[in-house]
């Protein structure tokens, strides 16, 4: 069955994946960015090739979410998947179900900090453009830039319904089977405590034991600055290309130094807080 590591883009998904891989799949908790292949992205083309090759047609792809997961689970083992897909229901086609899903780890991040990372990652020219992306109820991922001959996505990309920051969060928070919510800010402020909480979740769901020594080692190996250093030395396949220069954007850009109070102007702050007031209050961001 599947355990989802779900998040809106640029919210800490890669950090959580890195930690879990270091903890569960690496000798002596050692970690390298290439190890991220141990937890793949879903949806991706490889899981839909037997059903359709119309990878950018959402009306086609949605028909095979459940079928493709049924096939994955024929292996009869627990599989972690990264996803940015909203937990949506499109024309009675559900993204997943409890037959296929064992649980969900959802990472959320203050949208006032998400916007800076999104602006860098998707090469938006302004914070207004990045803001519109966060607000867009019809936002999707996985489509090449139709206005350019250049290709900005890898060969495994597939259309992925995202929706707005708030709708994405609201969809996944309703997942009521082995669900854990992790706030990116708490990972920064209370790193060991939050990863310990995640490990308690993993112990219960996987029926394993994890020592504090293992946790500390995995935290050290997968710190933001360790990951950033790896990217600077060897690059990172999940980074995007800058649409203006064609050069890869830094995936691990500001991290803990991303502070909306120092970066955003008052107008953008007010617009985000107004648009997402209910959700931000619920999450104690306001």
């Amino acid at each position: 069955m599947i355990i989802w590591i779900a998040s809106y883009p640029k919210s800490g998904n890669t950090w959580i994946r890195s930690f879990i891989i270091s903890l569960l799949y690496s000798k002596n908790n050692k970690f390298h960015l290439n190890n991220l292949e141990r937890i793949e992205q879903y949806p991706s083309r490889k899981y839909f090739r037997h059903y359709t090759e119309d990878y950018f047609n959402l009306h086609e792809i949605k028909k095979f979410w459940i079928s493709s997961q049924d096939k994955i689970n024929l292996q009869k083992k627990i599989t972690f998947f990264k996803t940015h897909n909203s937990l949506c229901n499109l024309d009675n086609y559900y993204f997943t179900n409890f037959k296929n899903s064992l649980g969900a780890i959802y990472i959320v991040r203050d949208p006032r900090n998400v916007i800076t990372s999104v602006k860098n990652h998707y090469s938006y020219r302004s914070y207004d453009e990045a803001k519109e992306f966060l607000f867009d109820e019809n936002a999707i991922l996985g489509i090449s830039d139709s206005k350019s001959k250049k290709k900005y996505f890898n060969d495994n990309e597939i259309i992925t319904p995202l929706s707005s920051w708030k709708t994405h969060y609201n969809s996944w928070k309703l997942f009521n089977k082995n669900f854990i919510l992790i706030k990116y800010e708490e990972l920064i402020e209370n790193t060991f405590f939050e990863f310990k909480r995640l490990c308690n979740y993993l112990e219960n769901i996987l029926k394993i034991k994890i020592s504090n020594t293992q946790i500390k080692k995995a935290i050290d190996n997968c710190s933001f600055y360790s990951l950033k250093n790896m990217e600077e030395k060897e690059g990172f396949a999940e980074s995007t290309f800058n649409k203006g220069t064609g050069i890869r954007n830094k995936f691990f850009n500001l991290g803990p130094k991303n502070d909306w109070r120092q970066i955003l102007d008052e107008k953008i702050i007010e617009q985000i807080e107004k648009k997402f007031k209910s959700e931000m209050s619920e999450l104690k961001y306001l």
Side-chain angles (χ1 to χ4, degrees):
M1 296 182 75
I2 297 168
I3 299 175
W4 300 103
I5 305 176
S7 72
Y8 191 84
K10 309 309 296 179
S11 298
N13 197 303
T14 302
W15 193 7
I16 293 295
R17 287 162 62 210
S18 301
F19 176 81
I20 291 174
I21 291 168
S22 178
L23 192 71
L24 301 181
Y25 303 125
S26 302
K27 282 188 176 181
N28 301 317
N29 296 139
K30 290 184 178 179
F31 180 79
H32 189 277
L33 287 175
N34 291 338
N35 298 145
L36 283 168
E37 296 174 357
R38 293 296 303 266
I39 296 180
E40 297 180 289
Q41 179 169 298
Y42 182 97
S44 60
R45 293 187 191 185
K46 66 178 290 185
Y47 297 110
F48 287 79
R49 288 182 182 131
H50 296 290
Y51 304 101
T52 181
E53 293 187 357
D54 200 355
Y55 301 122
F56 297 143
N57 183 344
L58 185 55
H59 295 291
E60 272 294 293
I61 294 301
K62 69 185 180 186
K63 298 176 186 176
F64 304 110
W65 285 330
I66 298 301
S67 298
S68 65
Q69 292 170 35
D70 286 340
K71 186 172 182 178
I72 290 166
N73 282 322
L74 289 175
Q75 301 174 65
K76 297 189 181 302
K77 67 177 185 178
I78 294 174
T79 304
F80 288 93
F81 274 121
K82 161 196 173 178
T83 192
H84 291 315
N85 217 104
S86 63
L87 190 61
C88 56
N89 165 18
L90 301 178
D91 304 319
N92 287 321
Y93 291 102
Y94 290 83
F95 173 66
T96 191
N97 56 23
F98 289 161
K99 174 188 171 186
N100 285 300
S101 297
L102 180 59
I105 301 163
Y106 188 80
I107 311 104
V108 68
R109 187 183 189 187
D110 190 325
R112 294 168 297 189
N113 276 335
V114 170
I115 191 173
T116 298
S117 294
V118 160
K119 180 178 178 292
N120 172 70
H121 191 67
Y122 296 116
S123 306
Y124 286 119
R125 294 169 295 182
S126 68
Y127 278 102
D128 280 316
E129 280 191 3
K131 178 200 67 183
E132 291 307 313
F133 179 79
L134 265 68
F135 288 4
D136 186 0
E137 294 298 336
N138 298 308
I140 56 175
L141 300 176
I143 293 185
S144 298
D145 191 336
S146 61
K147 296 179 181 179
S148 173
K149 298 288 186 182
K150 295 179 180 179
K151 188 180 176 204
Y152 298 105
F153 297 91
N154 64 48
D155 291 334
N156 211 18
E157 284 294 350
I158 194 170
I159 194 166
T160 302
L162 178 69
S163 197
S164 69
W165 177 88
K166 74 172 185 178
T167 297
H168 197 279
Y169 162 68
N170 283 327
S171 71
W172 278 99
K173 78 178 185 183
L174 298 176
F175 192 97
N176 59 2
K177 180 182 180 183
N178 294 324
F179 177 84
I180 183 173
L181 176 70
I182 295 177
K183 292 171 67 175
Y184 179 87
E185 293 75 20
E186 291 299 323
L187 285 176
I188 298 293
E189 294 296 324
N190 303 295
T191 305
F192 180 81
F193 177 84
E194 285 301 304
F195 278 115
K196 176 70 173 177
R197 192 167 68 88
L198 174 60
C199 285
N200 289 340
Y201 170 88
L202 294 173
E203 286 181 326
N204 289 331
I205 201 170
L206 300 178
K207 309 305 180 187
I208 60 173
K209 291 294 183 182
I210 303 169
S211 69
N212 286 349
T213 300
Q214 288 175 292
I215 296 171
K216 290 174 182 177
K217 182 70 172 177
I219 289 172
D220 288 343
N221 287 340
C222 301
S223 71
F224 174 81
Y225 294 105
S226 293
L227 298 176
K228 185 178 178 68
N229 187 50
M230 291 179 203
E231 180 184 23
E232 289 175 350
K233 287 183 177 179
E234 302 177 30
F236 184 33
E238 294 184 22
S239 64
T240 54
F241 288 96
N242 185 290
K243 296 180 182 180
T245 65
I247 299 171
R248 282 190 181 272
N249 295 311
K250 290 181 179 179
F251 189 93
F252 302 101
N253 187 32
L254 295 177
K257 293 182 179 179
N258 184 358
D259 183 355
W260 59 270
R261 299 171 188 83
Q262 306 297 323
I263 297 172
L264 299 183
D265 63 41
E266 287 297 325
K267 180 181 177 182
I268 294 291
I269 294 170
E270 290 174 4
Q271 289 172 332
I272 291 173
E273 291 177 349
K274 180 179 180 181
K275 186 74 172 179
F276 301 146
K277 181 178 180 180
S278 177
E279 291 74 23
M280 292 179 71
S281 296
E282 180 180 305
L283 290 162
K284 295 182 171 53
Y285 289 140
L286 292 179

mmCIF file of all heavy atoms in Angstrom, residues 190-215:
data_model
loop_
_atom_site.group_PDB
_atom_site.id
_atom_site.type_symbol
_atom_site.label_atom_id
_atom_site.label_comp_id
_atom_site.label_asym_id
_atom_site.label_seq_id
_atom_site.Cartn_x
_atom_site.Cartn_y
_atom_site.Cartn_z
ATOM 1 N N ASN A 190 11.995 23.305 15.891
ATOM 2 C CA ASN A 190 12.051 22.182 16.829
ATOM 3 C C ASN A 190 12.411 20.905 16.065
ATOM 4 O O ASN A 190 11.647 19.944 16.040
ATOM 5 C CB ASN A 190 10.700 22.009 17.538
ATOM 6 C CG ASN A 190 10.267 23.266 18.260
ATOM 7 O OD1 ASN A 190 10.910 23.698 19.209
ATOM 8 N ND2 ASN A 190 9.175 23.868 17.805
ATOM 9 N N THR A 191 13.588 20.931 15.458
ATOM 10 C CA THR A 191 13.955 19.904 14.481
ATOM 11 C C THR A 191 13.879 18.485 15.041
ATOM 12 O O THR A 191 13.196 17.628 14.476
ATOM 13 C CB THR A 191 15.371 20.173 13.929
ATOM 14 O OG1 THR A 191 15.426 21.495 13.396
ATOM 15 C CG2 THR A 191 15.705 19.183 12.826
ATOM 16 N N PHE A 192 14.560 18.227 16.151
ATOM 17 C CA PHE A 192 14.559 16.858 16.670
ATOM 18 C C PHE A 192 13.167 16.431 17.105
ATOM 19 O O PHE A 192 12.735 15.303 16.811
ATOM 20 C CB PHE A 192 15.530 16.705 17.849
ATOM 21 C CG PHE A 192 15.553 15.307 18.400
ATOM 22 C CD1 PHE A 192 16.313 14.319 17.785
ATOM 23 C CD2 PHE A 192 14.790 14.967 19.520
ATOM 24 C CE1 PHE A 192 16.313 13.018 18.273
ATOM 25 C CE2 PHE A 192 14.784 13.678 20.008
ATOM 26 C CZ PHE A 192 15.549 12.693 19.386
ATOM 27 N N PHE A 193 12.454 17.295 17.792
ATOM 28 C CA PHE A 193 11.122 16.956 18.281
ATOM 29 C C PHE A 193 10.204 16.582 17.130
ATOM 30 O O PHE A 193 9.460 15.593 17.205
ATOM 31 C CB PHE A 193 10.524 18.127 19.064
ATOM 32 C CG PHE A 193 9.121 17.877 19.541
ATOM 33 C CD1 PHE A 193 8.889 17.197 20.727
ATOM 34 C CD2 PHE A 193 8.023 18.298 18.795
ATOM 35 C CE1 PHE A 193 7.592 16.951 21.168
ATOM 36 C CE2 PHE A 193 6.724 18.059 19.224
ATOM 37 C CZ PHE A 193 6.503 17.375 20.412
ATOM 38 N N GLU A 194 10.229 17.364 16.050
ATOM 39 C CA GLU A 194 9.328 17.102 14.920
ATOM 40 C C GLU A 194 9.709 15.829 14.169
ATOM 41 O O GLU A 194 8.842 15.051 13.758
ATOM 42 C CB GLU A 194 9.317 18.293 13.960
ATOM 43 C CG GLU A 194 8.545 19.484 14.469
ATOM 44 C CD GLU A 194 7.088 19.157 14.756
ATOM 45 O OE1 GLU A 194 6.392 18.679 13.834
ATOM 46 O OE2 GLU A 194 6.651 19.373 15.908
ATOM 47 N N PHE A 195 11.010 15.606 13.984
ATOM 48 C CA PHE A 195 11.412 14.366 13.321
ATOM 49 C C PHE A 195 11.167 13.158 14.223
ATOM 50 O O PHE A 195 10.879 12.065 13.738
ATOM 51 C CB PHE A 195 12.865 14.441 12.872
ATOM 52 C CG PHE A 195 13.045 15.168 11.569
ATOM 53 C CD1 PHE A 195 13.745 16.360 11.498
ATOM 54 C CD2 PHE A 195 12.500 14.662 10.391
ATOM 55 C CE1 PHE A 195 13.907 17.035 10.294
ATOM 56 C CE2 PHE A 195 12.649 15.320 9.184
ATOM 57 C CZ PHE A 195 13.357 16.511 9.135
ATOM 58 N N LYS A 196 11.271 13.351 15.520
ATOM 59 C CA LYS A 196 10.917 12.286 16.458
ATOM 60 C C LYS A 196 9.428 11.966 16.339
ATOM 61 O O LYS A 196 9.023 10.790 16.361
ATOM 62 C CB LYS A 196 11.258 12.719 17.883
ATOM 63 C CG LYS A 196 10.852 11.734 18.978
ATOM 64 C CD LYS A 196 11.682 10.475 18.963
ATOM 65 C CE LYS A 196 11.377 9.591 20.165
ATOM 66 N NZ LYS A 196 12.135 8.318 20.135
ATOM 67 N N ARG A 197 8.618 12.990 16.211
ATOM 68 C CA ARG A 197 7.170 12.794 16.043
ATOM 69 C C ARG A 197 6.886 12.025 14.749
ATOM 70 O O ARG A 197 6.034 11.126 14.714
ATOM 71 C CB ARG A 197 6.474 14.163 16.038
ATOM 72 C CG ARG A 197 4.963 14.094 16.164
ATOM 73 C CD ARG A 197 4.386 15.463 16.476
ATOM 74 N NE ARG A 197 4.541 16.385 15.367
ATOM 75 C CZ ARG A 197 3.648 16.510 14.375
ATOM 76 N NH1 ARG A 197 2.549 15.764 14.354
ATOM 77 N NH2 ARG A 197 3.855 17.381 13.413
ATOM 78 N N LEU A 198 7.610 12.387 13.681
ATOM 79 C CA LEU A 198 7.463 11.661 12.424
ATOM 80 C C LEU A 198 7.893 10.204 12.591
ATOM 81 O O LEU A 198 7.243 9.288 12.062
ATOM 82 C CB LEU A 198 8.292 12.338 11.328
ATOM 83 C CG LEU A 198 8.364 11.609 9.973
ATOM 84 C CD1 LEU A 198 6.974 11.432 9.370
ATOM 85 C CD2 LEU A 198 9.265 12.376 9.012
ATOM 86 N N CYS A 199 8.965 9.986 13.336
ATOM 87 C CA CYS A 199 9.442 8.616 13.547
ATOM 88 C C CYS A 199 8.454 7.794 14.376
ATOM 89 O O CYS A 199 8.294 6.587 14.136
ATOM 90 C CB CYS A 199 10.811 8.635 14.214
ATOM 91 S SG CYS A 199 12.133 9.109 13.062
ATOM 92 N N ASN A 200 7.794 8.418 15.322
ATOM 93 C CA ASN A 200 6.750 7.713 16.073
ATOM 94 C C ASN A 200 5.636 7.262 15.129
ATOM 95 O O ASN A 200 5.109 6.154 15.259
ATOM 96 C CB ASN A 200 6.175 8.615 17.166
ATOM 97 C CG ASN A 200 7.144 8.859 18.302
ATOM 98 O OD1 ASN A 200 8.092 8.095 18.497
ATOM 99 N ND2 ASN A 200 6.935 9.928 19.054
ATOM 100 N N TYR A 201 5.299 8.128 14.196
ATOM 101 C CA TYR A 201 4.301 7.792 13.179
ATOM 102 C C TYR A 201 4.779 6.598 12.346
ATOM 103 O O TYR A 201 4.032 5.637 12.129
ATOM 104 C CB TYR A 201 4.069 9.018 12.285
ATOM 105 C CG TYR A 201 3.255 8.763 11.043
ATOM 106 C CD1 TYR A 201 1.865 8.852 11.061
ATOM 107 C CD2 TYR A 201 3.883 8.451 9.833
ATOM 108 C CE1 TYR A 201 1.114 8.635 9.905
ATOM 109 C CE2 TYR A 201 3.150 8.232 8.682
ATOM 110 C CZ TYR A 201 1.765 8.323 8.721
ATOM 111 O OH TYR A 201 1.031 8.097 7.567
ATOM 112 N N LEU A 202 6.036 6.655 11.896
ATOM 113 C CA LEU A 202 6.583 5.579 11.072
ATOM 114 C C LEU A 202 6.680 4.267 11.851
ATOM 115 O O LEU A 202 6.409 3.185 11.311
ATOM 116 C CB LEU A 202 7.964 5.967 10.537
ATOM 117 C CG LEU A 202 8.013 7.139 9.560
ATOM 118 C CD1 LEU A 202 9.464 7.515 9.247
ATOM 119 C CD2 LEU A 202 7.257 6.834 8.269
ATOM 120 N N GLU A 203 7.040 4.364 13.119
ATOM 121 C CA GLU A 203 7.120 3.156 13.952
ATOM 122 C C GLU A 203 5.760 2.477 14.052
ATOM 123 O O GLU A 203 5.654 1.246 13.954
ATOM 124 C CB GLU A 203 7.633 3.515 15.347
ATOM 125 C CG GLU A 203 9.114 3.824 15.417
ATOM 126 C CD GLU A 203 9.580 4.145 16.816
ATOM 127 O OE1 GLU A 203 8.800 4.755 17.585
ATOM 128 O OE2 GLU A 203 10.720 3.790 17.147
ATOM 129 N N ASN A 204 4.726 3.286 14.245
ATOM 130 C CA ASN A 204 3.377 2.728 14.400
ATOM 131 C C ASN A 204 2.853 2.122 13.104
ATOM 132 O O ASN A 204 2.227 1.060 13.114
ATOM 133 C CB ASN A 204 2.414 3.817 14.888
ATOM 134 C CG ASN A 204 2.666 4.217 16.321
ATOM 135 O OD1 ASN A 204 3.128 3.416 17.123
ATOM 136 N ND2 ASN A 204 2.371 5.468 16.653
ATOM 137 N N ILE A 205 3.116 2.798 11.994
ATOM 138 C CA ILE A 205 2.537 2.363 10.733
ATOM 139 C C ILE A 205 3.347 1.248 10.077
ATOM 140 O O ILE A 205 2.802 0.383 9.397
ATOM 141 C CB ILE A 205 2.364 3.577 9.781
ATOM 142 C CG1 ILE A 205 1.323 3.282 8.709
ATOM 143 C CG2 ILE A 205 3.657 3.994 9.141
ATOM 144 C CD1 ILE A 205 0.929 4.506 7.889
ATOM 145 N N LEU A 206 4.677 1.254 10.308
ATOM 146 C CA LEU A 206 5.548 0.251 9.693
ATOM 147 C C LEU A 206 5.909 -0.883 10.646
ATOM 148 O O LEU A 206 6.531 -1.869 10.233
ATOM 149 C CB LEU A 206 6.838 0.909 9.192
ATOM 150 C CG LEU A 206 6.701 2.018 8.150
ATOM 151 C CD1 LEU A 206 8.067 2.594 7.802
ATOM 152 C CD2 LEU A 206 6.009 1.509 6.889
ATOM 153 N N LYS A 207 5.545 -0.723 11.921
ATOM 154 C CA LYS A 207 5.851 -1.724 12.944
ATOM 155 C C LYS A 207 7.363 -1.958 13.063
ATOM 156 O O LYS A 207 7.872 -3.080 12.997
ATOM 157 C CB LYS A 207 5.142 -3.054 12.651
ATOM 158 C CG LYS A 207 3.658 -2.938 12.383
ATOM 159 C CD LYS A 207 2.929 -2.237 13.521
ATOM 160 C CE LYS A 207 1.427 -2.133 13.225
ATOM 161 N NZ LYS A 207 0.723 -1.302 14.244
ATOM 162 N N ILE A 208 8.097 -0.852 13.234
ATOM 163 C CA ILE A 208 9.543 -0.910 13.369
ATOM 164 C C ILE A 208 9.969 -0.103 14.599
ATOM 165 O O ILE A 208 9.148 0.592 15.204
ATOM 166 C CB ILE A 208 10.259 -0.349 12.119
ATOM 167 C CG1 ILE A 208 9.853 1.121 11.904
ATOM 168 C CG2 ILE A 208 9.949 -1.189 10.892
ATOM 169 C CD1 ILE A 208 10.628 1.809 10.792
ATOM 170 N N LYS A 209 11.249 -0.182 14.944
ATOM 171 C CA LYS A 209 11.808 0.604 16.028
ATOM 172 C C LYS A 209 12.906 1.514 15.475
ATOM 173 O O LYS A 209 13.728 1.080 14.661
ATOM 174 C CB LYS A 209 12.392 -0.299 17.122
ATOM 175 C CG LYS A 209 11.352 -1.081 17.909
ATOM 176 C CD LYS A 209 10.472 -0.149 18.729
ATOM 177 C CE LYS A 209 9.476 -0.943 19.569
ATOM 178 N NZ LYS A 209 8.585 -0.022 20.346
ATOM 179 N N ILE A 210 12.905 2.777 15.910
ATOM 180 C CA ILE A 210 13.886 3.755 15.449
ATOM 181 C C ILE A 210 14.499 4.416 16.678
ATOM 182 O O ILE A 210 13.792 4.961 17.528
ATOM 183 C CB ILE A 210 13.238 4.828 14.551
ATOM 184 C CG1 ILE A 210 12.544 4.181 13.345
ATOM 185 C CG2 ILE A 210 14.278 5.851 14.089
ATOM 186 C CD1 ILE A 210 11.662 5.129 12.551
ATOM 187 N N SER A 211 15.823 4.376 16.773
ATOM 188 C CA SER A 211 16.500 4.945 17.943
ATOM 189 C C SER A 211 16.733 6.439 17.769
ATOM 190 O O SER A 211 16.740 6.958 16.653
ATOM 191 C CB SER A 211 17.852 4.251 18.156
ATOM 192 O OG SER A 211 18.757 4.604 17.123
ATOM 193 N N ASN A 212 16.948 7.109 18.889
ATOM 194 C CA ASN A 212 17.272 8.533 18.843
ATOM 195 C C ASN A 212 18.586 8.770 18.100
ATOM 196 O O ASN A 212 18.753 9.799 17.420
ATOM 197 C CB ASN A 212 17.376 9.091 20.261
ATOM 198 C CG ASN A 212 16.021 9.254 20.922
ATOM 199 O OD1 ASN A 212 14.982 9.151 20.272
ATOM 200 N ND2 ASN A 212 16.020 9.476 22.221
ATOM 201 N N THR A 213 19.517 7.831 18.210
ATOM 202 C CA THR A 213 20.789 7.955 17.497
ATOM 203 C C THR A 213 20.563 7.942 15.993
ATOM 204 O O THR A 213 21.173 8.734 15.253
ATOM 205 C CB THR A 213 21.744 6.803 17.885
ATOM 206 O OG1 THR A 213 21.985 6.862 19.295
ATOM 207 C CG2 THR A 213 23.058 6.914 17.132
ATOM 208 N N GLN A 214 19.694 7.056 15.517
ATOM 209 C CA GLN A 214 19.368 7.003 14.099
ATOM 210 C C GLN A 214 18.725 8.314 13.634
ATOM 211 O O GLN A 214 19.016 8.821 12.549
ATOM 212 C CB GLN A 214 18.418 5.842 13.817
ATOM 213 C CG GLN A 214 19.036 4.474 13.906
ATOM 214 C CD GLN A 214 18.001 3.376 13.738
ATOM 215 O OE1 GLN A 214 17.126 3.186 14.592
ATOM 216 N NE2 GLN A 214 18.079 2.678 12.624
ATOM 217 N N ILE A 215 17.842 8.832 14.455
ATOM 218 C CA ILE A 215 17.149 10.076 14.112
ATOM 219 C C ILE A 215 18.153 11.219 13.976
ATOM 220 O O ILE A 215 18.140 11.971 12.992
ATOM 221 C CB ILE A 215 16.081 10.429 15.172
ATOM 222 C CG1 ILE A 215 14.991 9.363 15.210
ATOM 223 C CG2 ILE A 215 15.476 11.801 14.875
ATOM 224 C CD1 ILE A 215 14.009 9.515 16.362
#
